[in-house]
Amino acid sequence: MEFSEHIKTANVEDVILTQPFHPPVKGTLCVTGHHLLFSGRDGDSSAQLLLLLRNIDAIEKSVENLVGCSGLGSRSSGQSERSTGSSGTITIKCKDLHILQLDVPGMEECLNIASSIEALSSLETVTEMYPFFYRPSFLSLQGQWGLSPAEQDFAQIKALSDRWRLSEVNRDYFVCPSYPPAVIVPRSIDDETLAKSAKFRQGGRFPVLCYYHRENGKVIMRSSQPLPGANRKRCKEDELLLQAVIDGSELGYIIDTRSAQLAQQARMTGGGFESKSNYTSWKRLHRNLERGKVLQESLIKLTEACSDQSHNMDRWLSKLENSKWLSHVNSVLATAGLLAECVEREGCSVLVHGSDGTDTTLLLTTLAQLILDPQCRTLRGFLALLEREWVQAGHPFQQRCAHSAHSHARLKQESPIFLLLLDCVWQLERQFPLALEFGEPLLLQLAQDAYASDFGTFLCNSDKERCALGVKEKTHCLFQFLCRPSERDRFINPLYQPTELAIWPSVQPPSLQLWQGLFFRWTQSGQYLQEAREEIRNLVMQCCRRGCGQSAVQLEADSSIPSSGVVDC
Amino acid sequence: MASASIPAYSSNALENSSTKNASRESLKMEPLSDMPLLPGEERVIDKDIIYICPFSGAVKGKVVITNYRLYFRSVEAEPVVTFDVPLGTISRVEKMGGASSRGENSYGLDITCKDMRNLRFALKQEGHSRRDIFDILFRHAFPLSHGLQLFAFLSQEKFEENGWNVYNPMQEFRRQGLPNDSWRITFLNENYELCDTYPALLAVPFKASDEDLRKVATFRSRGRIPVLSWIHPEKQAVITRCSQPLVGMSGKRNRDDERYLDLIREANGGTSKLTIFDARPNVNAVANKATGGGYEGEDYQNAELVFLDIHNIHVMRESLKKLKDIVYPHVEEAHWLSSLESTHWLEHVKLVLAGAIQVADKVSSGQSVLVHCSDGWDRTAQLTSLSMLMLDSFYRTLHGFQVLLQKEWLGFGHKFGSRIGHGDKNHADADRSPIFLQFIDCVWQMTKQFPTAFEFNDRLLLTVLDHLYSCRFGTFLYNCESARDANEVKTKTVSLWSLVNSDRSSYINPFYTMESSRVLYPVASMRHLELWVGYYIRWNPRIRHQSPVEQRYRELLALKDQYLKKLEELQLSGSAPRLSNSTAPSPASPTQRVTHMHTPF
C-alpha cells in the first residue's frame, strides 16, 4: 500500500499553529506518510513541529464556509480582503497528552488534511509503521538488538546457584506464544514437565524465574493463572515445578493480583488459583490491583481534570482524587513493597500472577526488583529490566498503547499499565532522589515512545510477533539508542549515589504526588522550574566532572550507612 | 541488609514476622546522664514513664524535665526512641484517666503541642505518681501564668555572632535609597507615642508634616498610619502599609487621611491612582464598620480599592486544626486528597500568595500601593513581606530574609506573643492563630517553585518555626517593639539569628544562584501548591521525607575542593599529575577521601 493514497493535500500554506504557552505561528503545514510537519515563517526553531502521526490519538475538525459570513462582515466593517473563502480548524490530541490546534485556510484543504491524519495515524500494519522507515545516519542495523540476551542474565545466576537452568522449551514459541525462546526454570524440572505445566496455565505462561535475590538465594517467579476451572482440575507437573522452586520444607508466597473473590470467579471461566491442598508449601496473598478498562478510565478522568483550563479550579484535589490514579499508584507500590518484603525480610520465594500474567504481574515484579536490586537502578540496568520484564515477557504493547486518554475510538484492549509503571518509578525517584542513575527525562521519553516511536522496541505484542515481522532486523532498538554516550548524558541523574540498600517507598497518600512533569507537561508553563532544574544539573555536572570522577569509590563507603538509625518520634 | 524505617506494606499478612527481639542488657548505662543541657538549663525532675507512641505503641523509658525542655529516652526499645520537646512548644497539658481507671496505660498525661503533634504518657496508678510531674510541667511550660520567667531570660548561651545586629532600620532604609526627595525618615515615634505597636523609625511622604501624621493617626485603627515598607529602586513605586480607617457606621471621613493618601500617591509621579489592597473579604470589611472600622470609600478620589478575600485569624486557626486532625497521629488515608481539600489550608495559602502577587505586580508596573486589613499586623504583614520577597532579591538571601522578618513582622508589631501564646496556659485563647506559620508556608511554596532563587534552605524555615515556639531565643517574644524594649529583650536574651548566623552553612541552599533583577511570580493555583509534608507530617515515621539532595551536592562540592587542593599540592611537589587520568584514583587516595567525606557536614 502506498501512503500517498491517503494524502490528497500534502502542503498547505498560511496555516496557523496554536499550542499552549506559545504565541500562534503562521507557516506551512506538510503531511507525509508518517509525520506532520509544520514550519513557521520566521524560520525560528520554536516554530517548527515534527509530529509522528502515530502519536495522534484523536482529531477534531470544524470547518466553516466564510463566503456567506464574509458578505455580512464586509458590509458592516468593510474588511473584505480577509474573507477569501472558507477555512477550518483541526484540533490534534496526542497520545503524549499534547494538544495543538491548526487553523487551515480552505475548507477542502482542511478536510483533506484531516482525513489524511485520520487514515495515516491509525494504520494497523506494523511493518508500515515508522520504525521500519527510520534510518538515521548515526545508527546501524547491524548492531545488537536489545541490551542483554537471556544467556547473559542466566550466567549471573549460574555463578551464584546451581539450582537453575536456561530452558529452550519455547524455542519455537509453541509452548507459550507470549514468552521469549529461552526462560530460566528450576534445574530439576525437565522440558516435558514445563510443557505440561504450560498447558495448565493461561496462555501457556508457566512459572519462570524473573529475579534471583543474591542476599538469600530466594527468587521471584511469575506466571499466569492456573486453569483448575470449575472442576478443580489439578496438574502434577505444575505442582512439581513450584515445589522445585522452594527447598523442600520452606514456605513460598503466591501474590495473586486479584481479590480472592475475583480469583474464585475466574474458575467459572476455566481459570482459578493454586489451591491450598494441592500446593501445600505455598501461601496465597490476594491483592486486588485494577487493570484494563478501569485504569484507562482513570487516566481519561485524570487528563480531563488536568487539562481543565477554566479559571475556576475549585475542587482540584477532589477531582484528582476522583480520577483514582494516585490510589492505583498507591496500591501498586504497596503491593510491590509487599512482594519485596516477602523476599527480603521474610526470606521467602514468591510467585506473582493475576490472570494473564502480562500486566499487573509485570508491574509488581519490575518494581520489586527496583526496590531490591541496585543493579536495576542504573540507566542501563533499568532499561535491561524493562526489556526483560516488559518487552520479552510479552506485555502486549501494541494492544495496550493503541490509544491513550483522548481517543474517541471504541476502546478495545487499551490500558495505561506501562504508564502506571513509569509513574510508580517516578514516585520512587522522587522519594529517593539519589538512588536512581536516571531521572524524569528518561521516564518521559519512555512514556512517549511506548505510544509512538521512531524505534521498534515497543512494536507488537510479543517476541514471537516481533520475530515474525523482522522487527529486530529492520528497526532500531530504543534501549540501545538511549545507552549511547550522547543520549546517556541527557538522562543521567547527576546526583546519583548508588546504594546497596533496598529502597522502601512510603505509600502513605501524602508521600505520593501527581507526576506533574507528565500530566502537566503541555498545559503549564513550568519554564522557570525547568530552567532552575537545568541550572542545578549544570552546577552538579560541573562539580562532578571537575571534582570527582571517582564517585564509585566514595559510594561504597556511603552505602554502609543505614538511612536511619534512631526512631525519632 | 539494613534498611530504612520501613513502611509495613502488610505485616499482618505475614505470619512469621517480628521474632527478632534483641535484648541488650550489657548496654545498660546510667540513664540520661548524657543528656545535653543548654547553658542556663537546669534539670527539674526525672521520672520513669511510659510513652504511648501512636506508631509503635507503649515504650518504657525515662523522662527528664528541665526549665527548657521535656526529654524522653526509651530504656528497652530497639531502636532507641528519643525525643526532645522544648516546653515552649506545649500548648496544653491534661490528665488522662483517674486513679481508678481500668485498662493498661490509661492513667497519665496528654500533652498537646503547637507544632502538629501530641504526646501521651502513662504512669503507674499507685500513689498519685503523676501529680509532681503534672505540676512541674504545668509550671514550666506556662511560666508567665505562674510568675516565672521565660527560658530565653535564663539562657546563658553564647554565640560567635550577635543576631541582634542583623537589622538596623536606618541601614535598611539607606539600602532602599531612603530618604530621598519624596520620602523622609521621621523619629516622631521614637518613644512609641504616635503608635505603640509601630517601630521607632518610620518612612513617610516628604511633604507630610509631623502634625499631619498625628492627625492621620487619629483616623487609623490603633494609630497605625500608612508608612512606607518598600520602594522600587527604579520606578519609585512604593508599598505602604497601615490599619483600617475608622469610618464607622456613620461613614465618617477624614480630610487629613484623604490628603495624606494623596501625598503617598504623588510621591511617585507614575501613580495616577493609589491602589489600596484591603486584604479582607468585602463583607468582613463592611462588617468592621459596626465596630468603628471600615474601608476607604469614594471620598478617596485618587484611589482604587481592591479586596483580596483573605480570611481572618479565626478561620486560619480552625483550618490548621482540621489539617492536624487529618495528619496526626494518623494520616487520613482513605480520602486523603478530599480531606486535605476540606481543611482549606492550601486554599488559604493560595489566596495569600495570590494577594501578594497582585501587590508585587502593581508595584513592579510602577504604581504605588497601600496594604491593610483590620489592624494591619496579620494579613498585612503576610502581603507586604511576601510581595517584597517577590520584588527584591535581597530578601531572598539568608541575611535579607532575617531583615525582612525583623522589619515587616517584628518591627510592625505582628503580635507574636498573643498569636503563639508564649508561656501562657490559656490554650483556647481566641487571639492565637498560625498567621506566621502560614506565611512561612507561602515562602516554602515559593522556594519549591524557584529552587535556585533563595539563598536559604528548608532547614532555615523549620528552624524559624521551631524557635517560634521554643522560647529559647528572645526574637519572637512579645507583641511589638515597644514591649520588647520595655522588657530589655535585646540585652537579656539571645537572638535566634545568633544561632543561625554562627552556623550559616547549615542553612544555605547550595543551588542558589544570585539573580538580582528578577521579580518572582509564583503560580498561585491549587495545582501548583503542595502540602508541606516535611513540616506538617514530619512526626510520622511512615512518611518518607526528602532525602538530603542538598547534602549530596555539598559533598560533591567538598570533594571538588579537596581534589583541587590535592592537585595544587601535587603541582607544588613537582610530580605533575596527568589530568586526563584523574578519574582513576590512586589506591591511596580513596580511603583518604572517604574518611574526609562526612566530617565537614
Side-chain angles (χ1 to χ4, degrees):
Chain A
M1 188 207 68
E2 288 293 316
F3 299 123
S4 54
E5 285 172 23
H6 293 294
I7 305 174
K8 286 176 209 140
T9 301
N11 278 294
V12 193
E13 300 283 341
D14 292 335
V15 173
I16 296 167
L17 168 71
T18 316
Q19 309 182 69
F21 296 100
H22 289 281
V25 211
K26 202 175 232 192
T28 308
L29 180 74
C30 173
V31 186
T32 73
H34 293 107
H35 288 100
L36 202 60
L37 273 125
F38 179 87
S39 163
R41 274 232 185 105
D42 312 337
D44 144 31
S45 68
S46 67
Q48 303 275 341
L49 180 79
L50 177 65
L51 186 71
L52 264 181
L53 289 168
R54 183 85 196 148
N55 189 359
I56 295 173
D57 209 16
I59 68 168
E60 283 156 21
K61 51 181 188 279
S62 68
V63 289
E64 51 185 317
N65 196 330
L66 284 179
V67 182
C69 308
S70 71
L72 278 172
S74 59
R75 236 178 292 149
S76 55
S77 67
Q79 291 178 328
S80 55
E81 68 277 8
R82 301 221 60 196
S83 51
T84 48
S86 53
S87 80
T89 299
I90 304 177
T91 305
I92 296 180
K93 299 184 171 179
C94 299
K95 292 172 185 169
D96 61 11
L97 310 181
H98 193 182
I99 297 181
L100 41 101
Q101 186 186 312
L102 296 166
D103 292 308
V104 184
M107 184 165 70
E108 198 183 330
E109 282 83 355
C110 179
L111 291 173
N112 284 349
I113 297 269
S115 75
S116 302
I117 294 176
E118 270 167 348
L120 292 165
S121 64
S122 54
L123 290 179
E124 299 269 341
T125 318
V126 174
T127 50
E128 286 174 358
M129 289 177 188
Y130 187 61
F132 282 87
F133 298 83
Y134 179 58
R135 296 287 176 267
S137 56
F138 54 88
L139 289 177
S140 145
L141 284 174
Q142 307 306 316
Q144 183 190 344
W145 209 92
L147 292 177
S148 63
E151 292 75 19
Q152 208 173 307
D153 296 332
F154 178 64
Q156 282 197 15
I157 294 170
K158 201 176 158 195
L160 298 164
S161 162
D162 59 358
R163 294 185 49 227
W164 304 93
R165 71 182 182 94
L166 193 64
S167 163
E168 294 194 359
V169 66
N170 198 39
R171 74 183 76 81
D172 304 317
Y173 306 106
F174 286 150
V175 175
C176 172
S178 61
Y179 269 178
V183 290
I184 303 171
V185 295
R187 170 176 284 278
S188 58
I189 299 298
D190 60 19
D191 282 357
E192 203 177 321
T193 314
L194 292 177
K196 286 199 174 134
S197 164
K199 290 222 165 71
F200 188 63
R201 293 277 170 178
Q202 172 125 5
R205 294 175 70 93
F206 56 90
V208 296
L209 177 141
C210 66
Y211 173 64
Y212 180 90
H213 194 52
R214 269 157 237 275
E215 276 72 19
N216 58 14
K218 299 298 179 257
V219 298
I220 298 177
M221 310 281 295
R222 56 174 155 73
S223 70
S224 59
Q225 65 174 345
L227 303 171
N231 303 328
R232 301 174 189 274
K233 271 184 294 189
R234 59 190 285 191
C235 169
K236 278 278 171 211
E237 288 79 4
D238 191 69
E239 292 162 25
L240 216 60
L241 169 54
L242 283 187
Q243 192 59 42
V245 169
I246 48 181
D247 274 331
S249 58
E250 276 179 29
L251 181 79
Y253 284 104
I254 295 172
I255 294 183
D256 192 322
T257 66
R258 306 162 295 178
S259 66
Q261 194 193 358
L262 282 175
Q264 274 289 355
Q265 281 169 12
R267 284 183 40 226
M268 308 319 293
T269 49
F273 49 89
E274 294 83 355
S275 69
K276 237 192 172 120
S277 49
N278 298 342
Y279 298 82
T280 48
S281 317
W282 292 85
K283 181 177 162 52
R284 257 183 303 118
L285 304 173
H286 289 276
R287 288 291 179 278
N288 195 33
L289 298 183
E290 293 299 349
R291 60 202 82 210
K293 223 177 215 156
V294 178
L295 284 187
Q296 183 69 22
E297 276 158 13
S298 169
L299 177 67
I300 291 172
K301 269 194 188 167
L302 176 62
T303 3
E304 271 171 15
C306 291
S307 57
D308 180 359
Q309 291 294 312
S310 58
H311 284 290
N312 179 12
M313 293 209 282
D314 270 357
R315 304 183 52 74
W316 154 249
L317 291 173
S318 294
K319 283 182 195 159
L320 183 57
E321 181 173 289
N322 285 337
S323 79
K324 293 219 166 73
W325 182 261
L326 282 175
S327 73
H328 298 315
V329 170
N330 185 314
S331 36
V332 169
L333 272 176
T335 315
L338 173 70
L339 168 57
E341 211 170 26
C342 289
V343 176
E344 152 90 15
R345 309 211 123 176
E346 300 297 311
C348 291
S349 290
V350 189
L351 168 68
V352 185
H353 69 70
S355 24
D356 292 333
T358 54
D359 295 293
T360 49
T361 305
L362 308 181
L363 271 176
L364 296 185
T365 56
T366 307
L367 289 168
Q369 290 181 62
L370 267 176
I371 292 171
L372 293 174
D373 186 0
Q375 275 186 21
C376 297
R377 300 183 211 136
T378 63
L379 176 69
R380 197 184 174 88
F382 177 62
L383 294 174
L385 176 70
L386 293 183
E387 182 173 276
R388 283 197 312 273
E389 291 300 299
W390 291 80
V391 178
Q392 296 196 36
H395 175 67
F397 278 101
Q398 198 184 336
Q399 291 173 356
R400 298 289 181 262
C401 300
H403 285 289
S404 134
H406 296 298
S407 175
H408 305 302
R410 206 165 62 84
L411 296 171
K412 286 169 267 175
Q413 307 264 10
E414 289 82 356
S415 183
I417 288 269
F418 189 66
L419 213 53
L420 185 57
L421 170 84
L422 296 176
D423 197 329
C424 291
V425 177
W426 180 82
Q427 306 284 349
L428 273 176
E429 183 235 43
R430 207 184 140 271
Q431 291 188 23
F432 300 91
L434 310 179
L436 306 182
E437 196 194 14
F438 52 91
E440 183 175 67
L442 181 76
L443 301 175
L444 289 173
Q445 181 78 49
L446 290 168
Q448 182 144 1
D449 277 90
Y451 284 92
S453 178
D454 294 345
F455 298 88
T457 300
F458 294 122
L459 292 178
C460 303
N461 295 308
S462 65
D463 201 54
K464 180 184 176 186
E465 288 181 26
R466 276 184 286 274
C467 273
L469 298 173
V471 168
K472 295 180 193 182
E473 290 79 36
K474 294 177 192 160
T475 75
H476 294 288
C477 170
L478 174 67
F479 296 155
Q480 284 283 1
F481 170 72
L482 295 177
C483 285
R484 288 162 57 96
S486 55
E487 303 306 310
R488 229 183 111 80
D489 257 11
R490 284 165 51 207
F491 299 118
I492 284 291
N493 165 16
L495 291 167
Y496 175 55
Q497 185 175 31
T499 168
E500 288 297 314
L501 299 176
I503 50 172
W504 301 102
S506 163
V507 297
Q508 292 265 303
S511 302
L512 303 176
Q513 291 283 330
L514 180 69
W515 184 8
Q516 300 208 356
L518 177 72
F519 293 107
F520 290 166
R521 190 173 179 185
W522 310 102
T523 52
Q524 71 175 228
S525 104
Q527 199 194 351
Y528 190 87
L529 203 56
Q530 208 63 43
E531 281 169 26
R533 283 204 191 120
E534 202 53 40
E535 226 164 83
I536 292 177
R537 202 184 139 76
N538 289 340
L539 266 174
V540 176
M541 288 295 237
Q542 235 177 40
C543 169
C544 288
R545 270 189 214 117
R546 267 195 242 146
C548 45
Q550 315 89 329
S551 43
V553 179
Q554 103 224 2
L555 298 173
E556 268 167 46
D558 280 356
S559 53
S560 59
I561 299 163
S563 3
S564 87
V566 178
V567 178
D568 203 359
C569 36
Chain B
M1 188 156 98
S3 35
S5 58
I6 294 176
Y9 301 100
S10 178
S11 39
N12 53 348
L14 306 167
E15 286 161 350
N16 47 346
S17 65
S18 71
T19 42
K20 320 123 198 171
N21 223 339
S23 61
R24 304 177 59 185
E25 281 158 56
S26 56
L27 276 178
K28 268 194 183 156
M29 53 182 147
E30 180 60 25
L32 309 183
S33 56
D34 56 340
M35 186 192 129
L37 289 179
L38 297 172
E41 185 177 1
E42 282 165 16
R43 291 165 81 124
V44 182
I45 187 175
D46 287 26
K47 212 166 175 76
D48 289 321
I49 209 161
I50 296 167
Y51 167 55
I52 315 288
C53 174
F55 309 104
S56 50
V59 185
K60 272 191 202 167
K62 285 238 175 221
V63 68
V64 177
I65 293 169
T66 71
N67 51 0
Y68 171 64
R69 79 182 92 199
L70 179 158
Y71 180 82
F72 173 85
R73 180 191 272 162
S74 61
V75 284
E76 281 163 12
E78 188 68 34
V80 176
V81 178
T82 69
F83 53 83
D84 188 341
V85 184
L87 298 182
T89 310
I90 294 174
S91 71
R92 183 179 196 181
V93 185
E94 283 173 297
K95 292 176 178 166
M96 154 187 98
S100 56
S101 292
R102 283 156 181 261
E104 207 183 347
N105 300 331
S106 61
Y107 175 82
L109 298 176
D110 235 341
I111 299 173
T112 310
C113 297
K114 296 169 181 172
D115 63 352
M116 306 296 286
R117 62 179 154 169
N118 298 338
L119 303 169
R120 175 171 275 211
F121 293 106
L123 292 112
K124 282 192 226 97
Q125 248 151 326
E126 307 87 61
H128 306 290
S129 64
R130 73 179 167 199
R131 187 185 286 163
D132 53 351
I133 186 170
F134 176 83
D135 289 346
I136 283 166
L137 208 49
F138 207 76
R139 274 169 68 81
H140 289 277
F142 312 120
L144 296 188
S145 305
H146 295 90
L148 298 174
Q149 278 190 304
L150 291 164
F151 180 73
F153 290 93
L154 304 170
S155 168
Q156 304 288 323
E157 278 191 279
K158 299 270 182 290
F159 290 95
E160 278 170 39
E161 297 288 325
N162 182 356
W164 293 122
N165 298 334
V166 154
Y167 174 58
N168 174 329
M170 202 46 153
Q171 213 175 318
E172 166 60 13
F173 280 133
R174 286 214 193 90
R175 187 192 68 84
Q176 293 193 20
L178 299 173
N180 63 15
D181 293 349
S182 316
W183 295 88
R184 66 187 181 94
I185 312 295
T186 173
F187 290 83
L188 187 60
N189 200 37
E190 205 170 12
N191 300 314
Y192 309 109
E193 280 159 359
L194 179 73
C195 170
D196 61 352
T197 58
Y198 260 13
L201 287 195
L202 300 171
V204 295
F206 190 82
K207 289 184 182 157
S209 69
D210 285 357
E211 198 40 45
D212 291 339
L213 301 179
R214 287 200 188 89
K215 283 183 191 157
V216 173
T218 62
F219 192 63
R220 290 280 164 180
S221 178
R222 297 170 204 269
R224 295 173 66 92
I225 59 168
V227 295
L228 179 143
S229 275
W230 191 77
I231 183 163
H232 195 290
E234 285 117 38
K235 298 182 177 154
Q236 303 294 305
V238 297
I239 300 177
T240 53
R241 61 181 287 173
C242 62
S243 61
Q244 64 181 340
L246 299 174
V247 176
M249 291 298 269
S250 55
K252 264 184 292 181
R253 53 187 290 193
N254 180 308
R255 308 265 173 195
D256 296 312
D257 193 70
E258 289 164 27
R259 205 175 67 85
Y260 182 69
L261 258 54
D262 224 33
L263 289 179
I264 292 177
R265 181 185 63 82
E266 283 170 4
N268 164 28
T271 305
S272 51
K273 266 195 186 251
L274 179 70
T275 308
I276 302 172
F277 287 104
D278 188 326
R280 301 166 292 184
N282 195 342
V283 278
N284 295 28
V286 174
N288 259 287
K289 286 187 174 180
T291 51
Y295 54 89
E296 292 81 356
E298 280 162 13
D299 303 327
Y300 293 81
Q301 286 179 351
N302 294 318
E304 75 179 327
L305 186 64
V306 178
F307 291 103
L308 294 177
D309 287 329
I310 301 168
H311 285 278
N312 63 23
I313 61 166
H314 311 294
V315 174
M316 301 311 176
R317 182 179 57 238
E318 292 316 307
S319 173
L320 186 68
K321 205 174 267 170
K322 282 188 194 156
L323 181 61
K324 185 171 176 180
D325 285 345
I326 65 162
V327 299
Y328 194 91
H330 298 291
V331 169
E332 168 63 51
E333 287 193 54
H335 297 284
W336 164 246
L337 292 171
S338 48
S339 306
L340 178 59
E341 187 170 79
S342 66
T343 69
H344 297 291
W345 182 256
L346 284 176
E347 209 179 307
H348 295 312
V349 167
K350 180 190 85 175
L351 283 169
V352 173
L353 272 174
I357 290 169
Q358 289 193 52
V359 173
D361 189 45
K362 238 335 159 220
V363 174
S364 71
S365 73
Q367 306 284 308
S368 289
V369 304
L370 174 64
V371 182
H372 72 71
C373 45
S374 302
D375 291 314
W377 52 42
D378 293 308
R379 289 166 276 197
T380 300
Q382 290 179 327
L383 292 169
T384 56
S385 54
L386 283 170
S387 53
M388 286 158 74
L389 209 51
M390 292 170 195
L391 289 163
D392 189 341
S393 62
F394 168 69
Y395 299 122
R396 296 175 218 144
T397 63
L398 183 58
H399 173 234
F401 189 64
Q402 295 168 16
V403 170
L404 184 70
L405 297 189
Q406 288 291 347
K407 177 173 151 55
E408 288 303 299
W409 288 84
L410 292 155
F412 279 103
H414 173 68
K415 301 202 293 174
F416 281 101
S418 306
R419 296 288 175 259
I420 307 302
H422 292 127
D424 174 45
K425 67 178 181 184
N426 186 8
H427 62 85
D429 188 348
D431 248 354
R432 294 197 186 177
S433 185
I435 298 302
F436 184 71
L437 165 62
Q438 189 173 53
F439 158 75
I440 295 289
D441 192 333
C442 292
V443 175
W444 181 81
Q445 303 285 352
M446 284 183 68
T447 63
K448 279 267 119 173
Q449 293 193 19
F450 303 98
T452 60
F454 292 83
E455 193 192 18
F456 53 87
N457 58 18
D458 281 17
R459 181 166 167 187
L460 177 80
L461 300 180
L462 288 172
T463 304
V464 166
L465 289 178
D466 283 344
H467 293 299
L468 173 65
Y469 308 122
S470 77
C471 298
R472 177 173 155 194
F473 301 101
T475 302
F476 294 118
L477 302 182
Y478 303 104
N479 283 338
C480 55
E481 204 176 281
S482 62
R484 275 185 289 274
D485 276 6
N487 287 284
E488 298 170 85
V489 167
K490 276 194 181 183
T491 48
K492 292 185 171 167
T493 74
V494 177
S495 160
L496 168 59
W497 312 128
S498 302
L499 172 87
V500 169
N501 295 336
S502 301
D503 183 21
R504 273 180 60 90
S505 63
S506 299
Y507 303 100
I508 294 286
N509 168 17
F511 304 120
Y512 174 59
T513 42
M514 250 266 288
E515 230 185 319
S516 51
S517 57
R518 193 157 187 165
V519 181
L520 302 186
Y521 292 114
V523 186
S525 124
M526 285 300 285
R527 291 181 204 197
H528 296 78
L529 299 183
E530 241 180 76
L531 182 71
W532 186 9
V533 171
Y535 181 75
Y536 299 107
I537 324 187
R538 65 174 158 161
W539 310 119
N540 187 327
R542 292 193 173 179
I543 302 283
R544 179 166 307 285
H545 300 301
Q546 182 69 42
S547 292
V549 176
E550 298 169 2
Q551 165 94 2
R552 167 76 174 139
Y553 177 69
R554 252 181 243 125
E555 285 168 8
L556 290 173
L557 273 183
L559 224 61
K560 181 178 94 179
D561 288 347
Q562 277 178 31
Y563 173 78
L564 290 177
K565 209 184 273 170
K566 183 129 198 151
L567 198 70
E568 221 166 84
E569 282 166 21
L570 284 171
Q571 276 166 345
L572 281 177
S573 69
S575 59
R578 293 220 314 269
L579 258 177
S580 54
N581 282 357
S582 60
T583 45
S586 67
S589 59
T591 39
Q592 264 183 350
R593 277 176 210 290
V594 166
T595 48
H596 290 169
M597 268 285 299
H598 293 280
T599 42
F601 318 106

